[in-house]
Amino acid sequence: RYVFQPMEELYLLLITNKSSNIMEDLETLRLLARLVPEFCPALDEEGARENSFDLILAFDEVLAMGHRETINLQQIKTALEMESHEEKLHNMIRQSKINEAKEEAKRKATAIDAKNSK
């Protein structure tokens, strides 16, 4: 069974089997339809492509192993906004390397300027 909802230039499609509860399917579709504008402000193909990773993560919070999780929009937002310690550490290391490269560039520029002024 195909259950769909038009969304401006897009269609949100939920594929189920005939034995599934249509009321639960419609409720799942409504929740997914509320998620799309939250994570994809431009409801067109380009906007969906640009925000596809966030949409997939949000949809994954709603559906697990083909079944709907008992979760609401606020819980999904909270789950997706959680910070990762590894991500913070990676960003700190990356910023440190950038800062070191800038300092090294300044030292080399100063050395070249001093060499040229002699």
Side-chain angles (χ1 to χ4, degrees), residues 24-67:
E24 288 179 10
D25 296 343
L26 289 172
E27 183 60 33
T28 301
L29 185 65
R30 282 188 205 102
L31 179 57
L32 293 174
R34 287 196 324 248
L35 282 174
V36 173
E38 292 288 329
F39 295 96
C40 181
L43 292 177
D44 58 4
E45 189 175 340
E46 182 64 28
R49 187 178 12 244
E50 288 174 2
N51 298 292
S52 60
F53 187 71
D54 292 332
L55 284 171
I56 290 170
L57 290 176
F59 287 178
D60 186 54
E61 291 295 322
V62 175
L63 301 166
M65 303 295 288
H67 299 285

Side-chain angles (χ1 to χ4, degrees), residues 1 3 17 36 43-44 57 60 67 72 76-78 86 98:
R1 178 183 320 164
V3 185
N17 57 29
V36 173
L43 292 177
D44 58 4
L57 290 176
D60 186 54
H67 299 285
N72 61 33
I76 294 168
K77 286 182 181 179
T78 302
E86 288 81 15
I98 290 171

